[in-house]
């Protein structure tokens, strides 16, 4: 096992121990990859370790459909900055920690569209009607008409 492979295995052992409930390893291909999940934000970070990592930079992809495009882009740029600053040093543990913090702070989805629609529907059903009744001319027929309208759900 060469130096890069040994360093990869050591770092993977550390991050799995630190973040065991958030990490899923993928060692099925020629290279090693892992996913970091932040279910509270609906976000997933995929980290691909090239064969000569840490001497080659990690490849990152971020999925967080509930976050705004600008928040997701900013988060990915922030994570890529960590990778760039590592400069041949291991950075997976720092990267995972930063991702989880970003997910909690800025990637959490706003109110879902279904909840927003339900809220709007509820608000629209709570409208108030003010009706002026001409009490001088046939007020009894107006009142009966209003009672029928109200009982019909008008």
């Amino acid at each position: 096992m060469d130096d890069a492979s040994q360093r990869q295995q050591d770092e993977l052992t550390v991050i799995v121990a630190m973040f065991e409930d958030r990490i899923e390893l993928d060692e099925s291909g020629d290279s090693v990859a892992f996913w970091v999940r932040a279910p509270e934000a609906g976000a997933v970070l995929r980290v691909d370790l090239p064969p000569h990592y840490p001497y080659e930079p990690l490849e990152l992809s971020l999925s967080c459909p509930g976050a705004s495009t600008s928040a997701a882009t900013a988060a990915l740029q922030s994570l890529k900055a960590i990778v760039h600053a590592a400069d041949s040093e291991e950075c997976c543990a720092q990267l995972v920690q930063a991702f989880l913090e970003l997910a909690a702070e800025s990637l959490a989805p706003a109110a879902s569209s279904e909840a927003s629609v339900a809220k709007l529907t509820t608000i629209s059903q709570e409208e108030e009607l003010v009706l002026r009744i001409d009490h001088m001319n046939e007020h009894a027929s107006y009142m009966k008409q209003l009672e029928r309208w109200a009982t019909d759900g008008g």
Side-chain angles (χ1 to χ4, degrees), residues 4-73:
S5 297
Q6 183 60 50
R7 289 175 71 178
Q8 281 186 26
Q9 286 303 319
D10 292 346
E11 187 168 24
L12 289 172
T13 301
V14 168
I15 64 165
V16 167
M18 289 175 67
F19 306 102
E20 64 184 308
D21 59 331
R22 305 288 187 131
I23 300 284
E24 182 181 330
L25 292 178
D26 177 10
E27 300 177 282
S28 60
D30 293 334
S31 63
V32 176
F34 63 89
W35 289 270
V36 186
R37 301 191 189 288
E40 65 280 355
V44 178
L45 175 68
R46 179 178 168 89
V47 181
D48 288 285
L49 286 73
H52 294 103
Y53 168 80
Y55 305 111
E56 295 177 53
L58 299 168
E59 296 174 23
L60 307 176
S61 61
L62 177 63
S63 171
C64 48
S68 70
T69 303
S70 60
T73 301

Side-chain angles (χ1 to χ4, degrees), residues 49-100:
L49 286 73
H52 294 103
Y53 168 80
Y55 305 111
E56 295 177 53
L58 299 168
E59 296 174 23
L60 307 176
S61 61
L62 177 63
S63 171
C64 48
S68 70
T69 303
S70 60
T73 301
L76 186 58
Q77 291 304 318
S78 177
L79 296 171
K80 285 182 176 182
I82 292 169
V83 171
H84 181 71
D87 192 33
S88 299
E89 294 295 323
E90 292 88 342
C91 63
C92 289
Q94 180 185 2
L95 187 69
V96 171
Q97 184 64 43
F99 166 69
L100 294 174

